Structures are given as C-alpha cells and as structure tokens.
Amino acid sequence: MLPIVLLSVFGIVMLFLGFMKSRAVLLPAALLFLLVALGTSFLDWGHSYLYFRDMLLVNNQTILFSAITMLSAFMVIALSGDFLQDEAAQPAEYYAIMLFSIVGAIMMIGFENLIMLFVGVEILSVSMYVLTGSDKKNIRSNEAALKYFLMGAFATGIMLFGMALLYGAVGSFTITDITAFVSLSRGGISLLLLMGLMLVLIGMLFKVSAAPFHFWTPDVYDGAPTLFTAFMSTVVKTAGFAALLRLLMAVSATSMYDRWWQIVAGITVLTLLAGNLTAVYQNSFKRMMAYSSISHAGYLLIALAALGQQSNGALAFYSLAYSVATIAAFGILLLVAKQRGKDGQRDETYEAFNGLAKQNPLLAFILAVSMLSLAGIPLTAGFWGKFMVFSTAVEKGMVWMLVVAVLMSAVGIYYYFRVVIAMYFRTGEVTAIRVAPFYRIVLIVATVLTIVLGLAPGLVQGLI
Amino acid sequence: MLTLSLILFPVVAALLVLAVRGQQTKQLAFAAALIELGLAAYAFLNFRADTSSQFGFDYPWLVNAGIRFSAGIDGVSILLVVLTGLLTPLIVLSAFQRNYDRPNVFFALILFMQAALMGVFTARDAFLFYLFFEAALIPIYFLAALWGGEDRIRVTFKFFLYTIFGSLFMLVALVYLYFQTPGSHSAAIVDLYNLKLTPEAQGWIFWAFFIAFAIKMPVFPFHTWQPDTYTESPTQATMLLAGIMLKMGVYGVIRLLLPIAPAGVDIWGSTAIVLSVIGIVYGSIIAIRQRDIKRLIAYSSFAHVGLMAAGVFSQTTNGVQGALVQMLAHGINVVGMFFVADVIMSRTQTRLIDQMGGITQHTPKLTVYFMIILLGSVALPLTNGFVGEFLLLSGVFQYNPVLGAVAGTTIILGAVYMLRLFQKTMFGKKTELTETFTDVAGSENWVLIPLCIMVLWIGVVPNAFLKVTEPAVTSLLQIINQ
C-alpha cells in the first residue's frame, strides 16, 4: 500500500519545504505528491492484499474510494493558489496536514481491524479540527474549531466505547472475525454486539454529518475557511461512507441486517428531511452548501440502509459525482465571496452571485452545471449517482424510502436553483471576477468530469 | 443511424451556433434546422407503415445494469418526429425580425431543445426516455427565464419546479418497473410492456405516470403553471412549449402509461377522462373571458390538450389515432396562432385585445393567414383540426356518450373565443395603436405560408398521415386489451 507510506513521507517533506524562502514551490510540490500517490495506488488494482499485520485490506474497493479522496484533495489544493499570496497563511503546514489526513482517510476506507478504523478517524478528525481553526483572526473560525473539536471528541469517545463492546461480543477486532461471528450465530444475536455496532455507528454518522448528529455541520462549514470546507465536505464524507460500508458489510448477514436496517433507514429519512428542509431557509450560499452536504449524506445512507450487491458501486459513483460538483461550487464561492465582498468582509450570500452570468459566463456555467449535478438533473453525474442509490432501495423493496428521497430531491432543486437564478436572471455588479488560469483549468476539469460521467456513467460504474 | 443523427445533429449544430457571435447566428441556426427537417422528412417518406421500429440504433450504456442507449422510430413516434422537425425551422424563422441580445445562446438553446425532444419521441429505453424528458426542461427554462417578460423569474421557476416534481414520480415508477423485469433486468420499453403486474401495483404506476404527464400536458387541475408561463415567455419559447413540448405528455401516456398499466387505466382511466373533460370546458370558458391575447391562446391550448388526453384514455383506436394526428395539427395551429399574436403584439406594443381593432384594413395577407390558422383551430372540416377532433370526440363518445357530449362543447366554445378574438382584433374600428399597422412582410410570410399549407394539407388528405400511424396504434391497443 504505497500511498499511505508515500503520503506520510511527503507530508514531512512538505513541512521541510516550508522552511524554504520561496513559497512558489509549495503548491506544485503538493500537487505532484498527490499525483504520485494517486498513480501508485492503482498498482494494487485487481489484487487483494492484507497489510500491516492484517490491519488493512487493499482491494479494488479501497483503491477506488481512496482514489476519489485523493482526486478531491488534488482539486482542492489546486484551487489554493490565492493562499500563497495571503500573508498570514501557512501553506506548507496546511498542505502537510491535508496529505496526512488523506493517510487517515485511506486507513478508514481500507480498515480490516477496528483499531485501524479508530486511528484513521482520529488522524482525519484532528487534521480537520486544525484546518477549521486555521483562520486565527476570524472569531467564527475559532468558534467553529472549538465546537467541532468538543463534539468530535465526544463522538470519538462513543465510537471507542462501541468498539470495546464489539470486542467483548466477538473477542476480536478484525472484520473477518466479526463477519464469521455474525454469520455463525443464527437467530440469537447478542445484545452486546448490537449495542457495540450502534455506538460505532453513532460515532461514524457524526463524522459524515447524518441527522440527528449533524448539528455541528452548518456552523463548522460556515466558520472554516472555504477551501477547507470544500476539503472536509468531500474527503471526510467519502472516507466516512466507505468505512461505514465496510463495517456494515461485515454485519450484513440476514439475521443481523434485520436488526439494524430499520434504524439506519430511520436515520436516512431523518437526515434527508433535516438537510433539505433547512437548506431552503438559508440566505448564505455557504450555509446552504452545508445543509446540502447533510442532505447528500442522507442519499448516500440509502445505499447503506438497502445494503446489497450494488451498494459499493453506487456509493463510489455518488461520492465521486458529489465531490467533483461540490469542489467546483466551493471553488467559485471562494472567488465570488472574496472579490464581491466589501470592506474586507467576504460576501457569501446568494446576492453575491447576482448577474455573474453577464460578466463571467464560464464561471456561471460551471456553477450551474455543478448545481444541476447536485440537484440530480439528468445528463449530469449527479443524476446517475442518485439513480444508482435509488436503485439499491428499490431492489430491497423500500419504495417508500424512494418516495421520500424523490420528494426531497424536488425540494433540493428549489435551493440549488436559487443561485442559478441569481447568476442568470438578476443584475449585479459590473466588475468581472478575475480567475487565475490554473484555477480555471481545475474548474473546467470538474465540469467536464460531471458532464462526461453524466453521459457515460458506465466509465466508473464498471470498475467495481 | 438516422435516429441517432436526428438526436445528435441539433446538438452539434447548437455547439456551432454557440461559437458564433453576432446576429448571423440566425441564418446558421435556420440552416441547421432545415437540415434536420430534411432528415425528418426523409424518415417520414421512407417509413414503412407497419409496427416495427425503424432507422434504429442500439448501444449498451450502463453495461451491468442492462440500460441501453436505444432509439428508433415507429408508427407512434413518426408524426412527432415530423412535428419537431417541421416546427423548429419555423420557430427559428419567426425570430428573424427580432434582435434578441446574445442571439447565439438563444438559438443554441432552441436547437438543444430540439435534440432533447427528438430523443423523447424516439427513445426505446425507458430511462433514455426519462433522461430526455428531463433534459428538455433545461433549455426551455433558460429560454423562458432569460428572454421573458417582467415576472419571468417567479413564473418560470414555478414552471420548472412543477414539471420536475411531476417527472420525479415517473422516475420512481420506472425504477420500480425496471426491478420487476426478469433476469438481469432491462429498461427496454418493450420489456416493460410484457410485465405481469398486480392491478394494485398498476394503480400506483398509473398515478406516478399520470401526475408526470398530466403536469406536462397540462390536464386540469395540474395546469396552473401554464397560462403564466406562456404569457411571460418570449414567443419562440411559448411556441416550443405549446407546439411541441406539451406533446411529450400525451406521447408519454400513449408510449408508457397505457401499455404498461392497462389494469391501472381500467381502474383510474375514468377519473383521468373526467379531469380532462373538466379541463376542456373550464379552459374554453376561461379563454372566452380573456383580455390578454397570449393568455387566450394559452387557455385554448389547455382545452385542446384536454381533448387529446380524454381521447387517449378512452383507449379506442379512434381516440389514440386522433390524438396522434391532433398533436401534429395542434402543434401547427398553436405555433401559427402564437406567431400571429406576436406579429400583432410587436406592432401594437400591447397584448390587450380591447386596445386593438380594424387591423384588416391594412393587412390583406395577415388576414388570410390568420383566418386559415384560426379555422384550423376551431376544427372546420377540410382543415387539420377537424380530422383530429372528429376522431378524438368519436373515441370519447365510444367510451361514454355523456362525456363525449360534454367534450363536444369544445367545438362550440372554441368557435366563440376564436372568432371573438378575430373580430376584436381584425375587424371593427381602428384604434390609436393599430393606426399605422403594416402587413406581414419578408420572413414573416415564410413562417405563415408553410403553416397554412400544412393546415389545409392535413385537412384535405388526412389519410396520408393516418395510415402511417394505424398499424402501430392497432398493435398498441392489442397489447393493452390482452
């Protein structure tokens, strides 16, 4: 598993690069490191290995999900060009933290031993706490970091407690043993196991911001610097769902599935309702994106509640579609909020986007495509993501869940289109937004990916 | 391959048009639309009148899911392909005397719309159908909201949410049906026809489809988005909406709803017909009361579509055949009506009928064109409207004489509001606004002449069109009545 080793080393190298006088080398170095890690991750493609004393399983599923996180990180870092100009920013440290956090993400995605899951979650979470609070002079950023840290620490504690209970029930930390234990004990499932599973689930659901453990999300997303919001809403979510998938697959034997699916289904519905209905009332685009991220956790949860053959493919495709569109959206928010803001204050409301289509047709088009994709309109990747996730539900006979999800999708269209309306049909400032060439390329790549996956979903869907 | 070019050519042309700046994009878009018309005409002339699907192509798309990019033309779709091919160049041409800002975007959106519509009418895979059904919404939304009237943002957003909300129900139904197919699942529409579903399931399927299509058509009481949207949209968008897009709803009922859920139609079909008939009478009466010329046509269109819906749900050969022919006829008539309205509005700068009058005194040509199209709309024998309405009414009558009789009032009421419109605008005293009215000239002629020819052609030799659709309709009804 080269990427874990490489990213750890690269992270340290990154810190040393920070001592250099020239900041110009940092961004290309970070991108290069990620590209190398991304490339080497595919060396294991088609094989299935256990690493680190059977603590980590690497198979196609692990590779695909970690490739999505690395791609997301690559795009986010590529959008960070303005950071280098920012006096107070510490780009070397930020890049190093992001590289380290990907290591945590890969551990979560490929864990074979619950300890590995725990270590991965902690690496990722602690990185996020730091990044959230990185805007030291901004009081909202500080508040968000503290809030995230305190609540995250609780969630971790609960998860650890759950793992202890699982150990008590099974006598082992490994996924293989848990699977064997569950499939052997027909009918009588120990309460200890179920309790342990629920507590671990709570910890993980907190990380992916599923209701009712989502209350930190809007404040933290809002308070964190936008770049890191983009990072956490994509990488953390992908890693979290991959981990949940592996955990729940381990306990998917019918006798056990019958015990937990209603609970997960209930959380799914709750998450869909909480995310979508609250997003409608937001006046800030950034807060809307936070609630939208909760709602997407809901859609992804459908594939877990209806766990089956198609679930991993659906989750991977959905994560990819969601990540690409979200990064494009946050990337444009970064530009608009900064350049349309007044008196050094960022303007993150919908009004900031007024008339964007007149001055910056390309930016408006990119944001429109990403909104269409998040809303799940056909011919974008987001549609197929939703389609695959919905299919898993119908395959398990949960048509009622599909109806809820579809109604909430319609609600989603309402708030995603508010920004489209602002950009295309309202008039705003006449000054055009300046976009650096490289920045533009990243945004275009995101849009092209969204459209290509929308036209030919088979490209990724065939991988798993 | 022909079908593939019908779908893809407008996309390529639209991208080309987008790249060109300035007002000459009109000519480019028009040329593209003419080529597309040529393709559609080729399909029509070489179409064998049988039940097969012709000029088709078929590629695997989502391989492990059994979803295919499959499209072709059969007797049910041929007239709609012709309609889309015929109306688009006329709609483009109708904008020749207007100078919209950003014309490249405007015409590109029209061509994108055409591609999506062609896709809807030729799709043989249910998900492909759904995809195009939704995709058609994006260009029309931007057309209406970018170039529309003052209240355009609110109105078009309502329209967008309303119709997408409806189609999401169809998606639920399609996903459900897909998983009912045996083996490794298939979304081919033909495979969905062969499903053996319980009547209860079919009842649910019926409503999921019905809501989607009823909003699109629209059928009473799902029509509330329609008059506002028609009024606020620029004329070309209204033409696309009324002329072609609402046919997606009727077509969807014939293509998916009837054959997939026949038992559902047995249970709920009468409800659907009653709603449609209410829409006919209600729309006609409101049309009589309208002072706004665009709203009048919008309500008349609502009434006409109600008749098509009633005819289709009667599940009779006449009803379905009538609906197919009437879709073609109505498309031609309504585009003609909206264009005449646009001509009048652009010269008088008002939409209020009361402020017009005496236009005939200046305009011999416009009067003749208007009269021909109007007579087509009121379904005078030997015009295109008559063929369709006669078949539709006889279909509804066969289903239930009372409903048929009530639906028949559309002919009388239609004559009332149409002739009143003609009288108030064209005859009577001249007003300040119509004092300097000039007759149609140049490209305006070339929009109206083909429309008038089509009105008379379909009216005089309807068999040329009916015989093309007949085998397909017969076999479709056999599937339903199995």
Side-chain angles (χ1 to χ4, degrees):
Chain A
M1 192 68 236
L2 270 173
I4 288 192
V5 180
L6 284 177
L7 286 170
S8 309
V9 175
F10 286 154
I12 297 168
V13 173
M14 203 71 224
L15 287 173
F16 279 104
L17 284 179
F19 292 131
M20 287 170 58
K21 281 274 185 293
S22 164
R23 287 181 159 197
V25 73
L26 296 176
L27 179 59
L31 292 178
L32 182 73
F33 291 161
L34 269 172
L35 216 54
V36 171
L38 184 60
T40 53
S41 71
F42 282 94
L43 290 178
D44 288 326
W45 187 259
H47 306 287
S48 179
Y49 299 113
L50 283 166
Y51 285 90
F52 307 123
R53 294 185 172 267
D54 301 347
M55 299 266 277
L56 193 74
L57 172 71
V58 173
N59 57 13
N60 284 3
Q61 183 178 321
T62 312
I63 295 171
L64 197 59
F65 277 105
S66 42
I68 295 171
T69 60
M70 281 186 265
L71 181 72
S72 310
F74 182 86
M75 291 172 71
V76 171
I77 291 179
L79 294 178
S80 68
D82 282 356
F83 253 18
L84 301 174
Q85 274 91 50
D86 203 338
E87 283 297 307
Q90 313 288 332
E93 280 83 343
Y94 297 153
Y95 293 152
I97 291 174
M98 284 199 243
L99 294 180
F100 288 140
S101 71
I102 297 290
V103 175
I106 298 177
M107 287 175 173
M108 284 168 74
I109 292 166
F111 81 93
E112 170 63 22
N113 190 307
L114 289 178
I115 301 299
M116 203 59 162
L117 172 66
F118 180 72
V119 174
V121 167
E122 279 310 274
I123 294 177
L124 190 59
S125 302
V126 174
S127 310
M128 287 309 120
Y129 305 150
V130 176
L131 291 181
T132 304
S134 60
D135 191 356
K136 281 175 291 190
K137 288 178 202 146
N138 185 343
I139 194 143
R140 277 188 24 234
S141 173
N142 291 338
E143 184 200 326
L146 189 63
K147 196 177 239 174
Y148 195 9
F149 171 66
L150 287 178
M151 297 181 86
F154 267 109
T156 309
I158 291 172
M159 185 167 74
L160 204 53
F161 187 30
M163 285 179 183
L165 293 187
L166 279 183
Y167 185 80
V170 182
S172 161
F173 277 122
T174 65
I175 288 292
T176 322
D177 290 340
I178 296 174
T179 315
F181 180 84
V182 170
S183 49
L184 281 178
S185 56
R186 287 193 197 84
I189 287 291
S190 80
L191 194 61
L192 207 57
L193 182 78
L194 194 64
M195 280 301 293
L197 181 67
M198 283 308 128
L199 292 180
V200 176
L201 271 185
I202 288 175
M204 291 304 299
L205 289 173
F206 173 87
K207 299 295 172 196
V208 298
S209 54
F213 315 108
H214 66 288
F215 288 102
W216 59 275
T217 316
D219 289 340
V220 171
Y221 275 36
D222 199 19
T226 306
L227 195 67
F228 301 135
T229 312
F231 188 79
M232 80 177 78
S233 67
T234 53
V235 171
V236 177
K237 195 148 285 177
T238 308
F241 272 99
L244 277 170
L245 176 69
R246 185 152 287 189
L247 181 68
L248 290 177
M249 284 303 265
V251 291
S252 62
T254 319
S255 56
M256 194 65 192
Y257 175 78
D258 288 342
R259 297 291 184 91
W260 58 258
W261 81 263
Q262 289 108 326
I263 299 172
V264 176
I267 289 174
T268 307
V269 171
L270 204 60
T271 309
L272 284 171
L273 292 175
N276 283 298
L277 296 181
T278 336
V280 171
Y281 295 100
Q282 303 307 315
N283 286 317
S284 148
F285 179 74
K286 201 172 171 186
R287 279 187 90 82
M288 181 282 276
M289 285 300 288
Y291 282 104
S292 121
S293 145
I294 298 173
S295 78
H296 285 285
Y299 296 119
L300 285 159
L301 273 171
I302 295 176
L304 292 179
L307 201 64
Q309 288 296 316
Q310 308 294 327
S311 288
N312 48 2
L315 282 178
F317 193 94
Y318 199 107
S319 305
L320 180 61
Y322 164 78
S323 300
V324 170
T326 304
I327 291 171
F330 277 120
I332 290 173
L333 173 70
L334 257 179
L335 292 175
V336 171
K338 194 171 178 196
Q339 298 188 28
R340 291 254 165 112
K342 290 190 177 61
D343 313 323
Q345 291 288 314
R346 289 168 195 280
D347 187 356
E348 283 160 355
T349 59
Y350 284 105
E351 280 81 44
F353 291 88
N354 281 357
L356 191 68
K358 278 247 164 50
Q359 290 92 41
N360 292 73
L362 183 70
L363 284 190
F365 178 73
I366 289 168
L367 187 52
V369 169
S370 100
M371 289 296 118
L372 289 174
S373 184
L374 289 176
I377 307 278
L379 301 185
T380 61
F383 168 74
W384 289 112
K386 281 218 171 71
F387 173 81
M388 290 170 194
V389 163
F390 290 177
S391 298
T392 61
V394 178
E395 206 171 12
K396 284 269 177 180
M398 302 178 188
V399 179
W400 59 272
M401 174 116 83
L402 181 59
V403 173
V404 175
V406 154
L407 286 176
M408 287 303 113
S409 302
V411 175
I413 291 162
Y414 177 80
Y415 56 78
Y416 287 124
F417 261 70
R418 279 182 66 188
V419 67
V420 175
I421 289 173
M423 290 190 300
Y424 281 93
F425 312 136
R426 297 195 197 281
T427 46
E429 278 183 64
V430 278
T431 49
I433 305 276
R434 291 178 314 283
V435 195
F438 189 65
Y439 205 103
R440 193 190 303 260
I441 292 172
V442 176
L443 292 177
I444 291 174
V445 167
T447 308
V448 170
L449 258 177
T450 302
I451 294 174
V452 166
L453 289 180
L455 293 175
L459 287 180
V460 169
Q461 203 241 6
L463 288 182
I464 285 193
Chain B
M1 284 316 283
L2 181 66
T3 315
L4 186 62
S5 358
L6 276 171
I7 299 172
L8 283 187
F9 177 73
V11 176
V12 177
L15 293 174
L16 212 70
V17 167
L18 259 185
V20 179
R21 296 198 186 263
Q23 296 293 337
Q24 68 266 34
T25 44
K26 283 175 191 169
Q27 281 85 356
L28 195 61
F30 183 59
L34 276 185
I35 296 173
E36 179 83 353
L37 172 61
L39 293 175
Y42 179 85
F44 182 68
L45 295 174
N46 290 288
F47 185 81
R48 278 173 285 110
D50 56 26
T51 58
S52 65
S53 174
Q54 296 161 37
F55 316 111
F57 68 94
D58 186 72
Y59 298 119
W61 193 16
L62 259 183
V63 186
N64 5 3
I67 296 175
R68 306 183 72 82
F69 197 102
S70 169
I73 300 172
D74 69 357
V76 179
S77 32
I78 182 71
L79 288 189
L80 289 151
V81 169
V82 170
L83 177 77
T84 313
L86 179 75
L87 290 185
T88 314
L90 297 179
I91 291 170
V92 172
L93 192 63
S94 74
F96 261 48
Q97 304 213 344
R98 288 287 185 92
N99 282 322
Y100 290 108
D101 55 326
R102 276 173 295 158
N104 54 339
V105 182
F106 185 83
F107 291 107
L109 285 173
I110 292 181
L111 291 173
F112 277 129
M113 179 80 187
Q114 184 182 31
L117 290 165
M118 283 291 186
V120 170
F121 295 138
T122 56
R124 289 191 299 210
D125 184 287
F127 287 114
L128 195 64
F129 176 89
Y130 175 79
L131 218 76
F132 283 121
F133 195 81
E134 293 277 66
L137 209 53
I138 309 284
I140 195 73
Y141 171 64
F142 280 98
L143 272 176
L146 279 174
W147 289 273
E150 270 164 30
D151 200 15
R152 63 188 194 280
I153 296 177
R154 188 186 63 79
V155 164
T156 51
F157 194 46
K158 178 178 167 189
F159 153 70
F160 187 78
L161 268 184
Y162 221 121
T163 52
I164 227 164
F165 178 73
S167 15
L168 282 171
F169 283 98
M170 172 163 68
L171 180 63
V172 175
L174 288 181
V175 175
Y176 174 80
L177 289 169
Y178 169 73
F179 279 104
Q180 300 300 312
T181 51
S184 60
H185 302 314
S186 148
I189 293 177
V190 183
D191 290 341
L192 299 187
Y193 288 176
N194 296 327
L195 290 175
K196 301 273 174 285
L197 300 167
T198 61
E200 199 202 359
Q202 292 197 27
W204 288 107
I205 299 287
F206 174 90
W207 280 105
F209 278 136
F210 181 70
I211 291 175
F213 298 137
I215 289 176
K216 213 66 148 202
M217 287 194 253
V219 169
F220 179 87
F222 303 100
H223 65 284
T224 52
W225 60 268
Q226 190 223 28
D228 288 342
T229 311
Y230 281 20
T231 318
E232 289 297 326
S233 302
T235 302
Q236 283 70 32
T238 315
M239 288 170 166
L240 280 171
L241 272 169
I244 317 178
M245 193 167 162
L246 64 81
K247 272 73 179 184
M248 288 177 10
V250 187
Y251 177 79
V253 173
I254 300 175
R255 177 61 81 200
L256 294 175
L257 178 52
L258 294 183
I260 291 176
V265 180
D266 283 342
I267 307 169
W268 296 107
S270 51
T271 315
I273 295 192
V274 169
L275 287 178
S276 311
V277 170
I278 292 176
I280 297 170
V281 179
Y282 174 81
S284 305
I285 291 174
I286 297 194
I288 296 175
R289 302 284 307 155
Q290 290 307 309
R291 297 174 63 231
D292 181 316
I293 185 166
K294 262 185 146 176
R295 287 187 91 83
L296 188 150
I297 306 173
Y299 277 109
S300 91
S301 171
F302 168 45
H304 280 119
V305 175
L307 184 56
M308 289 182 223
V312 170
F313 280 112
S314 75
Q315 302 181 65
T316 54
T317 316
N318 278 351
V320 178
Q321 279 266 57
L324 286 172
V325 174
Q326 182 67 354
M327 280 198 261
L328 181 62
H330 177 260
I332 291 163
N333 294 337
V334 82
V335 165
M337 289 298 286
F338 272 117
F339 186 64
V340 170
D342 189 52
V343 167
I344 295 175
M345 283 165 356
S346 67
R347 285 166 172 67
T348 58
Q349 304 301 329
T350 180
R351 294 204 304 251
L352 297 178
I353 299 168
D354 302 351
Q355 298 187 10
M356 301 166 192
I359 294 174
T360 24
Q361 298 171 31
H362 304 282
T363 59
K365 284 194 220 158
L366 181 66
T367 312
V368 175
Y369 300 142
F370 191 4
M371 198 67 208
I372 293 175
I373 292 166
L374 185 130
L375 291 177
S377 283
V378 297
L380 193 80
L382 290 184
T383 64
N384 59 358
F386 176 74
V387 188
E389 285 203 6
F390 177 78
L391 287 171
L392 283 168
L393 284 173
S394 76
V396 181
F397 200 80
Q398 235 173 299
Y399 182 83
N400 181 326
V402 179
L403 285 172
V406 178
T409 54
T410 177
I411 294 186
I412 304 161
L413 295 171
V416 173
Y417 59 74
M418 281 298 177
L419 292 172
R420 179 178 154 274
L421 171 71
F422 195 76
Q423 181 196 357
K424 291 252 179 170
T425 52
M426 305 304 278
F427 296 142
K429 280 208 186 89
K430 277 195 267 187
T431 66
E432 278 171 42
L433 292 171
T434 57
E435 198 70 57
T436 56
F437 207 96
T438 51
D439 203 356
V440 285
S443 64
E444 290 170 341
N445 280 313
W446 296 110
V447 177
L448 288 166
I449 290 171
L451 289 172
C452 291
I453 292 175
M454 288 303 290
V455 169
L456 297 173
W457 184 19
I458 302 173
V460 177
V461 276
N463 265 333
F465 299 89
L466 287 172
K467 73 169 196 290
V468 176
T469 62
E470 199 178 0
V473 169
T474 317
S475 91
L476 194 79
L477 288 168
Q478 269 166 9
I479 294 174
I480 297 168
N481 294 325
Q482 259 169 20

